[in-house]
């Protein structure tokens, strides 16, 4: 360690330090995304197949923004998918916000069946626009919301309209907490009498058997109706503040207990399914009938996330059988779970399991006793795209299959449903994003790396053969404007053997003869991995906006990096389990070694005296943890919207990684409990109206820091959500405050007087 410090000191003496940025440089960095976004051409995004499998549409970068185009398998010239001016006019009129044809506010859409309209999502609502007239409207159907998937909002209205049976002969509805079954004329055939406010039938759970012989639904014992109360201090439509309440279950709260109930029409029987196999539910979901109406299945996740079952219920006997039981001494990862009931032959189910230490596909029959592993090896299945029972194939993407490649790059594979004949359909040293056609005869693949712009191809599914190239991104103008791709870097983790992958972003005017202070962009949430692997740096996929934000910060005279340490997802089960009941770890032992290896490799990588760190949400929690628990290494931090004490955060994310019941492991991961350990410089930023993480978590950290007599900076954004800003103004302001903070405390330079009128 002494050798490394002396070596770093010699480098510091030999190389000049980057000069501090002026006001113009900071403003230019703040505008980087807007200046660079229009400079790409022929970047294809978000391809979508039509249901017939013969045509597809996609978003393509063009002069001034993006247009949607449509193309067919036959290779006819691409055509505009619709009249963009007309749609822009319709959305603008309906929303009161002005939209341009080249900058429509959605990434994907679907044609309606007759292709007379398109549907898409805008601000979490479903919209439809007619294509012949500028008529757009919100068509979101009213549904009773469920807070983080486990507690229903009983204050919301529920659609009470009847659900008709597939044969059109019967209608089922819930009224007064009970189920009513009526015939075509509305005559009552059956009515339950055991429903009440504390044990009610859920109308949104009704599932008819395909042959109309039976239906199932769930009876619900409601959980804790915990509400978070926020004050909107500066509403846009009135002077006085408003009070906002949100249903927000937290770790340890009682969840809704769902009891599946089978109702058979001919016998007029109402049978609750015996719950011995699902007696302690965190959630019961994905209730699905077999196509022959012989049975239904559902997924049971046990409280604590250490057991998951796929339950099979025989419709004739109402007997429940566990087709699959997944047990783990740490956690069963609900965030990456997959299963699909089979409809043919011995039926059964295909599911994803980490039981051998890696995520792989398994199959069992309807008895649950005949187990078969379909894939195996020191690599992981990432996404199941389709199961074709007629052809006997499973289509999926996987990463880590090619040991010489980045272990996060996804490739496309096919394996026989009976096991064997694993076929790789892509193999380039790049990340692949695949959209399989509905008939599984073709696929569209976009491959790229952070240093390789998108190439989009149409390929044949049988053997992966190329049919034609659909688009090849042109970034010549982006490159001429100064864009340089991030630099991947790999170092060994805490065990001395595992590769830890990250990215290094340098300033546009990078000078290898100078020394640059280092800032880490951290997100260590165990639900995913976060270092971008594909090219697009502008935010239409996970990690995109991080790259352009990292570049903007780097342009002010920093090296900015992002790392996936142990405890994040998409590697082995052991790699992931590091996070179990220890979110304070955040992969810091791996991250620090990675930084030290980079400093040993590059003379311009300056870590002596400590580095900077910033992050949002779980990344905000990790940012504070860095300053508390690793103050000799991290000395300046900007924490956004942090879940600083996991007992204060949402139930779903926290019980998954910290377990149940709530115990000392929650306090051990709390940075509020350890606030007195703060060293270095900290800026805390939070949106007043954060609906993802209770804003009180931030104020409790502030309170603890004050009680510990610690100095820190605090910025609360009125009306700000989890993403902090409610419009471009606050977002730009918040980013500028972050930039200023790092310039002052990491570069030791004065920042502009922004209050001075120019």
């Amino acid at each position: 360690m002494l050798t490394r410090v002396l070596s770093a000191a010699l480098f510091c003496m030999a190389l000049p330090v980057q000069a501090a940025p002026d006001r113009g440089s900071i403003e230019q960095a703040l505008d980087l995304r807007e200046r660079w976004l229009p400079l790409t051409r022929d970047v294809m995004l978000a391809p979508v197949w039509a249901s017939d499998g013969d045509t597809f549409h996609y978003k393509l970068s063009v002069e001034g923004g993006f247009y949607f185009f449509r193309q067919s398998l036959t290779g006819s010239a691409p055509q505009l998918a619709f009249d963009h001016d007309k749609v822009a006019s319709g959305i603008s009129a309906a929303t009161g916000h002005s939209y341009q044809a080249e900058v429509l506010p959605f990434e994907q859409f679907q044609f309606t069946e007759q292709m007379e309209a398109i549907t898409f999502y805008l601000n979490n609502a479903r919209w439809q626009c007619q294509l012949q007239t500028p008529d757009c409207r919100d068509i979101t159907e009213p549904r009773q919301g469920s807070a983080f998937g486990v507690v229903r909002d009983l204050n919301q209205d529920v659609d009470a309209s009847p659900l008709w049976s597939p044969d059109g002969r019967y209608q089922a509805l819930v009224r007064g907490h009970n189920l009513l079954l009526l015939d075509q004329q509305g005559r009552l055939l059956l009515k339950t009498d055991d429903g009440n406010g504390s044990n009610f039938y859920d109308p949104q759970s009704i599932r008819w058997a395909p042959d109309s012989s039976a239906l199932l639904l769930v009876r619900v014992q409601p959980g804790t109706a915990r509400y978070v109360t926020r004050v909107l201090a500066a509403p846009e439509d009135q002077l006085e503040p408003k009070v906002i309440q949100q249903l927000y279950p937290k770790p340890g709260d009682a969840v809704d207990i769902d009891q599946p109930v089978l109702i058979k029409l001919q016998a007029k029987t109402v049978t609750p399914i015996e719950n011995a196999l699902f007696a302690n539910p965190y959630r019961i979901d994905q209730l699905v009938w077999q196509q022959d109406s012989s049975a239904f299945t559902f997924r049971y996740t046990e409280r604590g996330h250490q057991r998951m079952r796929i339950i099979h219920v025989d419709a004739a006997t109402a007997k429940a059988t566990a087709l699959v039981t997944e047990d783990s001494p740490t956690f069963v990862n609900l965030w990456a779970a997959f299963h699909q009931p089979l409809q043919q032959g011995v039926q059964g189910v295909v599911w994803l399991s980490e039981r051998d230490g890696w995520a792989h596909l398994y199959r069992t029959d309807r008895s649950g006793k005949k187990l078969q592993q379909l894939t195996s090896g020191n690599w992981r299945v990432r996404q199941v795209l389709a199961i074709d029972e007629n052809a006997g194939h499973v289509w999926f993407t996987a990463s880590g299959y090619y040991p010489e490649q980045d272990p996060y790059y996804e490739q496309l594979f096919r394996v026989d449903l009976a096991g064997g004949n694993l076929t790789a359909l892509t193999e380039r040293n790049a990340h692949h994003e695949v959209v399989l056609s509905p008939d599984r005869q073709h696929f569209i693949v976009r491959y790229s790396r952070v240093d390789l712009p998108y190439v989009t191809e149409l390929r044949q599914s049988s053997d992966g053969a190329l049919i034609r190239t659909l688009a090849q991104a042109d970034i010549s103008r982006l490159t001429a404007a100064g864009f340089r791709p991030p630099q991947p870097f790999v170092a060994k983790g805490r065990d001395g053997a595992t590769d830890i992958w990250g990215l290094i972003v340098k300033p546009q005017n990078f000078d290898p003869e100078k020394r640059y202070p280092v800032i880490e962009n951290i997100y260590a949430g165990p639900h995913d991995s976060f270092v971008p692997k594909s090219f697009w740096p502008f935010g239409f996929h996970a990690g995109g906006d991080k790259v352009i934000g990292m570049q903007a910060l780097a342009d002010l005279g920093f090296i900015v990096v992002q790392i996936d340490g142990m405890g994040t997802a998409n590697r082995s089960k052991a790699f992931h389990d590091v996070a179990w009941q220890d979110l304070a770890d955040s992969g810091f032992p791996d991250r620090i070694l990675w930084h030290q290896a980079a400093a040993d490799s590059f003379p311009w990588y300056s870590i002596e005296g400590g580095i900077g760190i910033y992050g949002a949400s779980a990344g905000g929690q990790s940012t504070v943890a860095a300053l508390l628990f690793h103050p000799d290494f991290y000395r300046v931090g900007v924490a956004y919207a942090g879940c600083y004490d996991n007992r204060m955060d949402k139930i779903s994310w926290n019980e998954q990684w910290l377990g149940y019941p709530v115990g000392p492991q929650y306090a051990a991961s709390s940075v509020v409990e350890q606030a007195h350990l703060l060293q270095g410089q900290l800026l805390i930023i939070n949106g007043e109206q954060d609906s993802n993480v209770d804003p009180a978590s931030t104020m409790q950290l502030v309170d603890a820091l004050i009680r510990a007599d610690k100095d820190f900076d605090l910025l609360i954004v009125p009306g700000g959500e989890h993403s902090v800003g409610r419009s471009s103004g606050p977002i730009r302001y918040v980013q500028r405050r972050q930039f200023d903070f790092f310039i002052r405390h990491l570069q030791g330079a004065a920042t502009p007087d922004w209050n001075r009128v120019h």
Side-chain angles (χ1 to χ4, degrees):
M1 183 66 177
L2 179 60
T3 302
R4 178 178 288 116
V5 172
L6 289 173
S7 176
L10 289 173
F11 279 134
C12 188
M13 292 172 60
L15 299 177
V17 178
Q18 173 76 9
D22 57 16
R23 179 174 183 143
S25 298
I26 295 172
E27 290 181 332
Q28 191 172 31
L30 292 169
D31 292 335
L32 184 65
R33 188 182 194 277
E34 286 66 32
R35 288 188 289 110
W36 276 8
L37 182 59
L39 300 181
T40 62
R41 294 294 179 273
D42 298 326
V43 173
M44 181 185 287
L45 302 169
V48 176
W49 285 93
S51 58
D52 59 14
D54 293 328
T55 59
F56 51 89
H57 58 264
Y58 49 88
K59 189 173 187 176
L60 193 73
S61 59
V62 298
E63 188 74 35
F66 296 87
Y67 276 140
F68 289 93
F69 290 88
R70 188 164 178 249
Q71 214 175 134
S72 69
L73 288 175
T74 59
S76 57
Q79 296 180 337
L80 285 175
F82 50 79
D83 185 328
H84 288 62
D85 288 309
K86 194 170 289 184
V87 169
S89 174
I91 299 176
S92 298
T95 63
H97 296 281
S98 178
Y99 292 103
Q100 302 302 313
E102 299 85 359
V103 195
L104 293 175
F106 53 89
E107 305 305 325
Q108 288 186 324
F109 73 89
Q110 293 281 357
F111 284 108
T112 56
E113 187 173 351
Q114 302 301 320
M115 298 189 67
E116 79 285 359
I118 60 171
T119 61
F120 54 88
Y121 283 90
L122 174 61
N123 297 329
N124 298 316
R126 189 165 182 257
W127 282 72
Q128 179 170 294
C129 287
Q130 299 298 316
L131 297 182
Q132 299 304 315
T133 59
D135 177 18
C136 297
R137 62 190 63 191
D138 184 340
I139 59 168
T140 306
E141 296 181 359
R143 290 184 62 83
Q144 185 181 68
S146 181
F148 302 110
V150 293
V151 177
R152 292 166 176 82
D153 188 348
L154 302 183
N155 290 326
Q156 288 186 355
D157 292 332
V158 181
D159 184 1
S161 57
L163 185 66
W164 287 85
S165 61
D167 64 7
R169 296 175 60 193
Y170 309 102
Q171 46 187 324
L173 69 155
V174 171
R175 186 175 296 155
H177 306 303
N178 278 290
L179 175 80
L180 282 69
L181 186 64
L182 312 175
D183 65 12
Q184 285 176 310
Q185 287 73 40
R187 293 182 294 246
L188 181 66
L189 301 177
L190 180 150
K191 181 180 183 295
T192 62
D193 58 8
D194 56 348
N196 54 61
S198 60
N199 197 357
F200 60 88
Y201 287 88
D202 179 7
Q204 295 183 148
S205 69
I206 297 172
R207 306 284 188 274
W208 278 100
D211 67 359
S212 303
S213 64
L215 62 87
L216 69 96
L217 77 168
V218 298
R219 200 171 60 214
V220 183
Q221 297 178 32
T224 300
R226 178 195 294 275
Y227 284 86
V228 165
T229 301
R230 302 187 298 270
V231 175
L232 180 60
E236 295 180 342
D237 59 346
Q238 66 182 50
L239 178 62
E240 291 297 318
K242 294 181 179 179
V243 175
I244 309 295
Q245 284 198 316
Q246 177 189 356
L247 184 63
Y248 193 103
K250 295 184 178 183
D253 286 352
V255 299
D256 289 354
I257 303 297
D258 290 1
Q259 169 66 61
V261 177
L262 174 65
I263 297 172
K264 301 177 73 173
L265 270 67
Q266 185 172 0
K268 294 186 178 180
T269 55
V270 179
T271 308
I273 307 305
E274 168 59 43
N275 72 345
L277 292 172
F278 50 95
N280 183 24
Y282 169 78
R283 183 187 299 168
I284 287 175
D285 59 5
Q286 300 187 31
L287 290 86
V288 179
W289 279 96
Q290 292 293 124
Q291 291 176 0
D292 63 6
S293 301
S294 64
F296 62 89
T297 60
F298 60 88
R299 181 177 67 176
Y300 160 69
T301 302
E302 192 162 286
R303 195 76 187 262
H305 289 79
Q306 292 180 290
R307 170 171 292 167
M308 183 274 290
R309 283 188 169 126
I310 307 302
I311 305 293
H312 174 277
V313 179
D314 185 281
T317 64
K319 180 181 178 182
T321 304
L323 295 184
V324 174
T325 299
E326 285 290 318
D327 289 321
S328 172
T330 57
F331 53 81
V332 177
N333 183 7
L334 195 66
W335 290 75
F338 167 84
H339 82 274
Q340 181 171 317
L342 299 175
Q343 303 293 339
Q344 299 180 8
V346 295
Q347 296 181 354
V349 65
V350 171
W351 81 102
L352 190 68
S353 169
E354 293 185 288
R355 60 182 60 194
D356 74 350
W358 295 86
H360 282 295
L361 293 172
Y362 294 78
R363 176 185 178 178
T364 188
D365 64 7
R366 62 185 156 203
S367 72
K369 297 178 180 178
K370 185 180 179 182
L371 175 68
Q372 183 177 16
Q373 186 167 357
L374 302 183
T375 62
S376 62
N378 293 341
W379 49 277
R380 66 177 295 118
V381 173
R382 295 284 293 274
Q383 301 179 68
V384 178
L385 303 182
I387 296 177
D388 188 332
E389 293 190 56
N390 291 323
H393 294 147
V394 183
W395 306 83
F396 63 94
T397 64
S399 57
Y401 181 80
Y402 298 107
E404 70 280 5
Q405 294 184 7
D406 182 322
Y408 296 92
Y409 286 166
E410 290 188 57
Q411 306 279 0
L412 176 64
F413 296 86
R414 183 182 64 238
V415 70
D416 285 356
L417 190 53
N421 292 323
L422 179 68
T423 302
L425 295 168
T426 61
E427 58 184 17
R428 293 181 187 85
N429 184 22
H431 182 68
H432 294 74
E433 302 166 58
V434 178
V435 183
L436 195 64
S437 67
D439 60 8
R440 295 166 293 282
Q441 298 301 305
H442 303 88
F443 64 89
I444 297 170
V445 58
R446 301 187 302 158
Y447 66 87
S448 70
R449 299 187 301 266
V450 293
D451 61 347
L452 175 67
Y454 277 131
V455 177
T456 308
E457 298 172 337
L458 177 64
R459 289 186 169 266
Q460 188 170 284
S461 296
S462 58
D463 56 4
L466 176 67
I467 297 175
R468 67 179 182 274
T469 299
L470 299 174
Q472 188 157 357
D474 178 359
I475 64 164
S476 56
R477 284 194 278 184
L478 185 64
T479 302
F483 171 78
R484 300 294 181 271
Q487 175 183 340
F489 183 73
V490 185
K492 296 301 180 184
R494 69 188 76 182
D495 60 3
T498 302
D499 284 339
I500 304 297
W501 288 73
L503 286 179
I504 297 174
V505 179
K506 305 172 188 175
Q508 292 183 63
N509 63 351
F510 174 72
D511 182 348
E513 300 302 317
K514 292 182 178 180
R515 298 277 289 166
Y516 294 89
V518 175
I519 299 173
E520 179 180 346
N521 170 17
I522 189 168
Y523 195 95
H527 59 277
D528 208 344
S529 54
F530 305 98
V531 175
K533 299 300 172 182
S534 52
F535 176 77
W536 190 241
F538 297 110
F540 297 138
H541 60 80
D545 273 338
K546 293 179 182 177
V547 173
I548 200 70
M550 290 163 68
Q551 184 65 66
L553 182 55
D555 286 349
L556 300 177
F558 300 101
I559 296 296
V560 186
V561 306
Q562 190 174 12
I563 309 162
D564 278 324
M566 289 187 183
T568 52
N570 299 323
R571 299 286 287 277
S572 69
K573 175 67 171 163
F575 188 103
H576 201 186
D577 277 349
V578 168
W580 171 240
Q581 295 193 343
D582 189 7
L583 293 180
D585 179 279
S586 294
F588 282 123
D590 313 301
R591 296 169 188 277
I592 291 170
L593 289 170
W594 190 96
H595 284 293
Q596 291 171 341
D600 286 342
S601 301
F602 309 117
W604 38 263
Y605 197 98
S606 175
I607 63 172
E608 64 275 3
I611 70 172
I613 186 168
Y614 71 96
S617 196
Q621 179 180 12
S622 296
T623 294
V624 178
L627 300 183
L628 300 185
F629 307 132
H630 306 278
D632 294 336
F633 199 83
Y634 295 96
R635 69 180 181 90
V636 182
V638 179
Y640 290 85
C643 39
Y644 301 114
D645 188 314
N646 300 96
R647 294 167 293 190
M648 285 290 293
D649 193 23
K650 69 196 77 66
I651 188 174
S652 53
W653 194 85
N654 295 277
E655 284 196 11
Q656 168 73 85
W657 315 117
L658 288 172
Y660 174 85
V662 173
Q665 73 275 20
Y666 280 79
S669 288
S670 168
V671 296
V672 177
E673 296 273 352
Q674 305 297 326
H676 61 279
L677 298 177
L678 177 67
Q679 298 184 48
Q681 304 297 322
L682 172 63
L683 169 60
I684 301 169
I685 301 174
N686 208 74
E688 176 198 58
Q689 296 301 312
D690 191 335
S691 61
N692 187 299
V693 176
D694 183 352
S697 182
T698 289
M699 300 315 295
Q700 289 179 1
L701 173 61
V702 168
D703 178 64
L705 290 169
I706 291 172
R707 290 173 183 273
D709 199 27
K710 296 293 182 178
D711 286 343
F712 60 95
D713 287 74
L714 174 66
L715 171 61
I716 301 296
V717 180
E721 245 288 359
H722 193 55
S723 58
V724 178
R726 63 182 174 189
S727 67
S728 59
I731 290 174
R732 179 186 172 91
Y733 176 82
V734 166
Q735 189 175 33
R736 195 263 291 167
R737 289 287 300 272
Q738 173 189 318
F739 289 177
D740 282 3
F741 196 77
F742 282 127
I743 291 168
R744 288 197 303 273
H745 295 295
L746 208 54
Q747 292 181 350
T751 52
D753 180 0
W754 295 96
N755 291 347
R756 181 182 175 187
V757 178
H758 288 267

